[in-house]
Amino acid sequence: MASAEKKSILLTFDVEDWFQVENFKEYIPFSSWDSNELRVERNTNNILDILDSFSFKPRATFFILGWIAKRVPNLVIEIAKRGHEVASHGNLHNLCTHQQSDELFQDLTYSKKLLEDILGNQIFGYRAPNFSITEKALGQIKKAGYLYDSSYNSFSMHGRYGKLDLFDKKRSKKIYKTLDSLYEIPISNYHIGSNVIPFGGGGYFRLIPFWLFKLGMKSVLNSDQIFVFYAHPWEFDPEQPRVDQASSVFKFRHYINIHKTEFKLKALISAFSCCRFTTCSGYLNQLQRVFNTTGINSHSRNI
């Protein structure tokens, strides 16, 4: 089978640290961030090492929080140096739904410029914290100069996830052209009729037995020809500090099977080694003829 005919897997990682997750925001205020142990560099390097351990060198996209990039710029450089794509996760992990348009635009432009200044290359992609995307936010993302967004999660029962109307948008293999020059790369989920089962990664990946996750992922790949997976560096860190004051529900969601994440990611990559593991930008380049555009050209070294 030719490479272009392979089903595609987009491994994506939201680079934030253990004390920056939304579930712990009530217990760990922003004012205390600088006093917490920064573990994101070693955890992200662990992910990079996992990816490097495979002979076929799977490529991934890392959506990096500006706050992190400012403090460990060498991590941004290392991700790109190892052949992966660097994209933006915003600056301070504020939800799109909690920001006014001007605040969001400032967040988008600041994080983009910060990453570009570190790399000396253009940043093409954005992912909203907690998938908190909105129609209005798409306009600000386009205005800020991004070429794609990967924030839409169709699982509607999560209170923080945003909503988009993609029904009448031009699409190819589950990639949507939302605005004139902005594309949406949604997180993959499993559908049973009209019901959406969350399956894209994160806590769902840790909770669902691997054999079942693999079956669901095969089904999605067979129907969509693409699977968009996400995880966070802190999900590979069972030794991270515990937030004991958090509610039982939040602790369950954060810590469930966290000691198994590394093993399960390795098993996932091995199980689907026949697929093409590519970056978000790389996949969009594949679709450039479908959308009748010039695509995201390869002058940037971090694609």
Side-chain angles (χ1 to χ4, degrees):
M1 179 181 291
S3 176
E5 297 172 343
K6 288 183 178 181
K7 297 178 176 70
S8 295
I9 296 174
L10 275 56
L11 296 177
T12 67
F13 299 94
D14 297 350
V15 182
E16 59 197 52
D17 220 329
W18 62 274
F19 53 87
Q20 297 171 317
V21 300
E22 198 66 25
N23 284 338
F24 290 161
K25 188 167 284 188
E26 178 182 351
Y27 314 99
I28 309 176
F30 172 72
S31 59
S32 71
W33 280 12
D34 278 315
S35 63
N36 287 294
E37 181 187 3
L38 199 65
R39 300 173 67 88
V40 67
E41 186 169 16
R42 90 184 74 171
N43 293 331
T44 304
N45 277 317
N46 183 29
I47 295 172
L48 293 172
D49 290 342
I50 292 171
L51 298 177
D52 277 349
S53 69
F54 291 88
S55 60
F56 54 93
K57 301 300 181 188
R59 298 298 181 231
T61 299
F62 290 77
F63 294 92
I64 305 176
L65 209 62
W67 191 94
I68 295 292
K70 187 174 182 178
R71 283 155 181 79
V72 282
N74 286 340
L75 178 61
V76 180
I77 295 170
E78 182 68 16
I79 290 169
K81 181 181 176 181
R82 297 219 207 175
H84 305 289
E85 179 184 7
V86 170
S88 171
H89 196 37
N91 185 36
L92 300 177
H93 209 266
N94 292 323
L95 305 188
C96 291
T97 48
H98 291 178
Q99 298 182 79
Q100 298 296 324
S101 293
D102 57 341
E103 294 174 318
L104 177 58
F105 180 73
Q106 183 177 0
D107 181 277
L108 290 163
T109 54
Y110 177 84
S111 60
K112 187 174 188 293
K113 186 178 186 304
L114 176 63
L115 293 168
E116 290 175 341
D117 286 347
I118 292 171
L119 288 178
N121 282 318
Q122 187 177 356
I123 297 300
F124 299 113
Y126 170 76
R127 174 169 291 159
N130 270 100
F131 307 120
S132 58
I133 194 63
T134 66
E135 297 285 350
K136 287 185 177 180
L138 285 180
Q140 298 302 316
I141 294 168
K142 178 188 174 184
K143 181 181 176 184
Y146 294 90
L147 297 184
Y148 75 85
D149 173 71
S150 183
S151 304
Y152 180 59
N153 190 318
S154 60
F155 181 57
S156 62
M157 294 181 66
H158 194 294
R160 298 193 195 106
Y161 293 178
K163 294 179 174 60
L164 293 178
D165 182 9
L166 301 176
F167 179 75
D168 61 347
K169 301 295 188 293
K170 184 177 180 181
R171 71 183 178 96
S172 176
K173 296 181 180 179
K174 295 297 181 178
I175 306 301
Y176 297 81
K177 191 173 184 181
T178 55
L179 298 173
D180 182 49
S181 58
L182 185 72
Y183 299 89
E184 182 64 37
I185 305 177
I187 298 300
S188 294
N189 284 319
Y190 184 74
H191 291 76
I192 303 177
S194 60
N195 297 310
V196 177
I197 310 299
F199 233 82
Y204 311 113
F205 177 61
R206 291 183 279 118
L207 179 63
I208 298 170
F210 182 71
W211 66 267
L212 181 57
F213 192 92
K214 185 168 69 171
L215 285 177
M217 189 168 168
K218 282 183 177 179
S219 178
V220 173
L221 279 166
N222 286 335
S223 63
D224 298 348
Q225 305 298 301
I226 178 177
F227 192 94
V228 182
F229 172 90
Y230 74 93
H232 308 82
W234 55 262
E235 293 184 276
F236 295 78
D237 184 8
E239 303 302 321
Q240 67 187 269
R242 297 275 303 190
V243 185
D244 291 325
Q245 67 270 37
S247 70
S248 297
V249 171
F250 286 166
K251 284 190 289 188
F252 174 82
R253 286 161 64 173
H254 188 88
Y255 298 115
I256 182 67
N257 291 334
I258 206 166
H259 62 291
K260 297 181 179 180
T261 314
E262 180 173 338
F263 167 80
K264 292 179 82 170
L265 179 65
K266 290 177 179 177
L268 182 154
I269 296 172
S270 295
F272 294 94
S273 60
C274 61
C275 296
R276 180 174 185 259
F277 288 81
T278 187
T279 65
C280 293
S281 291
Y283 189 76
L284 283 176
N285 269 331
Q286 285 183 272
L287 299 181
Q288 60 181 306
R289 291 183 181 178
V290 176
F291 288 114
N292 193 29
T293 68
T294 57
I296 299 173
N297 61 51
S298 59
H299 68 272
S300 177
R301 72 185 181 196
N302 64 320
I303 294 179

